[in-house]
Amino acid sequence: MMKTMTLPGIDEETAEALKEKARSEGAGVNAVTLRLLRESLGLEKRKRSVRYSDLDRSAEEETEFERNTCAFENVDEGMWSEK
């Protein structure tokens, strides 16, 4: 049977952080809060999700990246042939 609990004393910063996390995950605040509680209590394994915002590049950076890495597209057939 599921229990209902009230958690008084949640400060504004924590409430906003929960709302933002829920928004970014496309989930409800209740679902995110329950998952975070279960994870922090060791009742549920943390899901591994890594976001790399450092991979976001401008068009100029993308062009430079492509120019600097185009040599990696060339395959040395001699290295991959069976002898």
Side-chain angles (χ1 to χ4, degrees), residues 4-79:
T4 300
M5 299 178 82
T6 302
L7 189 60
I10 297 176
D11 61 271
E12 191 64 33
E13 182 181 23
T14 302
E16 286 303 314
L18 282 168
K19 288 178 187 176
E20 179 56 38
K21 185 155 191 68
R23 210 174 4 259
S24 72
E25 293 181 10
V29 173
N30 190 64
V32 169
T33 303
L34 289 172
R35 181 180 50 77
L36 290 171
L37 282 170
R38 291 187 60 78
E39 287 175 357
S40 69
L41 294 169
L43 301 173
E44 186 175 308
K45 280 190 161 186
R46 292 178 193 249
K47 293 187 174 86
R48 301 183 92 182
S49 62
V50 180
R51 291 186 174 188
Y52 297 103
S53 61
D54 60 327
L55 297 178
D56 296 337
R57 296 189 274 277
S58 67
E60 294 83 22
E61 290 171 319
E62 183 68 26
T63 301
E64 182 181 1
F65 178 82
E66 291 295 327
R67 185 176 61 248
N68 291 331
T69 60
C70 67
F72 299 131
E73 297 294 322
N74 300 328
V75 176
D76 184 346
E77 298 295 334
M79 287 184 71

